[in-house]
Amino acid sequence: MECSNHVSLHYLAKQAKTRLRETERLGYRGFTAIRRSNQNAYEEMLYQKVVEILECEEQILNPLDCLIDHKAIQACDSATRQRYVLEASKMFIRLKERYYREHLKIQSR
């Protein structure tokens, strides 16, 4: 019985080593590119929300409330929640500036 466990453990270790070599061969850049493309898609989704907020007829008093995922934030502890809100605030400011830059370009044409 110990022999079969040893063989399966040896087999699993060999597979892990093969995966590690394959990852090194592909390089970290492949993972980073995938991560960036996902982040860009997420940022574009948030940008559309920011555009809706800025072009809304009503005045929105708390625009961050529109950007925050309330289900995700409820599951977080206090420190993580603060970090999340801070990052959302930075993202809102950056996307708002992008909106005004693009909006001014359109108006100046």
Side-chain angles (χ1 to χ4, degrees), residues 42-43 46 86-96:
Y42 178 71
E43 190 170 318
L46 287 179
L86 181 63
E87 289 300 318
S89 175
K90 288 178 184 178
M91 181 74 75
F92 178 75
I93 291 168
R94 187 171 71 240
L95 294 175
K96 184 175 74 169

Side-chain angles (χ1 to χ4, degrees), residues 10-28:
H10 179 71
Y11 176 73
L12 291 173
K14 205 173 208 179
Q15 282 184 322
K17 189 173 184 180
T18 304
R19 282 193 309 270
L20 183 62
R21 284 183 181 160
E22 187 67 21
T23 303
E24 288 174 356
R25 187 180 66 78
L26 292 174
Y28 184 73

